[in-house]
């Protein structure tokens, strides 16, 4: 773990007139001083803390940040000797920069100053940045909700149409008759006998001989046949 550290590394899309916090820590004891600086605008010192005989004195060295920066000492983590939270408020577009923590020590016995710096925090201030982002999320959420509602409505309409079609189909449906093989040809029936009880006897017509046989000859049957004709 480096002697000086800082968090967070980046704070982007900060809205104008908003606030943010930076945490600076050090693992070494007995610092001579502590400062918060910005890198790109002339390496400007914003605030300075002096450690003299256990007393910490605050001095805002940049007039622009007067009454806009606050500092509090936080509870220490394991291995940490000093931990400060700095709060910057009423940020403007020109406050976009890299802010870093700077610690000063006296190296005994030569009394040479030792300077330790953290990696810094990049702060990007944009006008109405978070508002647009929130608006985008709101629009996305609205579109998702509208899509869900539209899908649900279409599903109900589809189900309703299918139910109506099924009901109409049932009304017009005629079940098919089962297939039956053709019957074998019927055999011709013999004519029924006449069971009438009336019997008409054949009438015989008597043929009268226009003449009489006077001969004494015996013609026998021939005489009868001739007469019977």
């Amino acid at each position: 773990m480096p002697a000086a550290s800082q968090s967070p590394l980046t704070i982007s899309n900060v809205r104008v007139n908003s606030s943010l916090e930076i945490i600076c820590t050090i693992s070494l004891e007995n610092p001579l001083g502590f400062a918060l600086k910005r890198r790109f605008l002339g390496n400007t010192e914003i605030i300075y803390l002096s450690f003299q005989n256990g007393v910490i004195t605050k001095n805002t060295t940049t007039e622009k940040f007067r009454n806009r920066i606050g500092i509090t000492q936080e509870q220490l983590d394991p291995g940490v000797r000093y931990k400060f939270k700095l709060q910057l408020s009423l940020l403007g577009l020109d406050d976009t920069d890299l802010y870093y923590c700077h610690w000063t020590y006296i190296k005994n016995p030569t009394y040479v100053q030792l300077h330790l710096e953290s990696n810094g925090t990049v702060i990007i201030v944009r006008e109405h940045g978070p508002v647009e982002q929130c608006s985008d999320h709101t629009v996305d959420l609205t579109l998702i909700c509208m899509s869900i509602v539209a899908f649900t409505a279409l599903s109900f309409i589809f189900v309703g149409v299918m139910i109506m079609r099924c009901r109409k189909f049932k009304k017009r449906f005629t079940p098919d008759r089962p297939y039956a093989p053709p019957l074998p040809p019927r055999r011709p029936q013999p004519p029924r006998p006449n069971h009438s009880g009336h019997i008409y006897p054949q009438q015989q017509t008597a043929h009268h001989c226009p003449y009489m046989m006077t001969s004494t000859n015996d013609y026998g049957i021939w005489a009868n046949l001739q007469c019977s004709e």
Side-chain angles (χ1 to χ4, degrees):
M1 178 180 179
S5 62
Q6 181 177 338
S7 64
L9 296 179
T10 304
I11 302 177
S12 59
N13 295 328
V14 180
R15 188 175 58 184
V16 174
N17 295 327
S18 63
S19 302
L20 57 84
E21 294 179 351
I22 297 175
I23 304 295
C24 296
T25 59
I26 192 74
S27 59
L28 300 179
E29 294 181 345
N30 302 322
L32 179 63
F34 165 79
L36 179 67
K37 297 183 178 182
R38 56 187 307 176
R39 176 73 67 185
F40 301 119
L41 292 180
N43 201 19
T44 306
E45 184 180 82
I46 299 173
I47 188 174
Y48 182 80
L49 297 182
S50 177
F51 301 84
Q52 294 291 336
N53 301 322
V55 179
I56 302 176
T57 304
K58 172 188 172 183
N59 183 22
T60 303
T61 55
T62 301
E63 186 66 23
K64 179 181 177 181
F65 283 92
R66 190 173 299 276
N67 300 325
R68 291 179 50 206
I69 186 169
I71 185 168
T72 56
Q73 192 168 4
E74 298 293 303
Q75 184 177 359
L76 300 178
D77 299 327
V80 175
R81 298 302 180 184
Y82 290 94
K83 181 177 181 180
F84 294 101
K85 180 174 69 176
L86 298 96
Q87 184 177 18
L88 283 70
S89 60
L90 300 176
L91 294 173
L93 296 176
D94 55 351
D95 292 329
T96 299
D97 209 325
L98 185 145
Y99 295 80
Y100 65 98
C101 302
H102 181 273
W103 300 85
T104 303
Y105 284 86
I106 295 295
K107 188 176 181 181
N108 291 327
T110 58
Y111 296 98
V112 176
Q113 288 189 359
L114 177 64
H115 300 279
L116 299 177
E117 296 179 354
S118 59
N119 293 329
T121 300
V122 177
I123 298 176
I124 302 175
V125 183
R126 297 182 181 180
E127 188 173 4
H128 307 300
V131 175
E132 294 179 357
Q133 185 178 6
C134 181
S135 176
D136 293 340
H137 288 307
T138 303
V139 172
D140 294 340
L141 183 60
T142 303
L143 292 176
I144 292 174
C145 293
M146 292 178 64
S147 300
I148 294 174
V149 172
F151 178 77
T152 304
L154 291 176
S155 300
F156 279 112
I157 294 174
F158 177 76
V159 172
V161 171
M162 294 302 296
I163 292 175
M164 295 297 296
R165 292 185 63 182
C166 289
R167 289 181 178 177
K168 292 181 180 180
F169 178 75
K170 288 182 179 180
K171 291 181 180 180
R172 295 182 298 178
F173 176 72
T174 302
D176 295 335
R177 296 181 178 179
Y179 172 77
L183 298 176
R186 300 180 62 183
R187 297 180 181 180
Q189 299 293 331
R192 296 181 180 179
N194 189 2
H195 296 286
S196 177
H198 303 282
I199 300 175
Y200 300 94
Q202 184 178 2
Q203 296 180 1
Q204 296 180 359
T205 304
H207 297 277
H208 300 280
C209 296
Y211 56 88
M212 293 183 63
M213 300 294 297
T214 59
S215 176
T216 59
N217 295 327
D218 188 5
Y219 291 94
I221 190 171
W222 294 106
N224 294 332
L225 289 175
Q226 292 177 357
C227 291
S228 61
E229 291 178 358

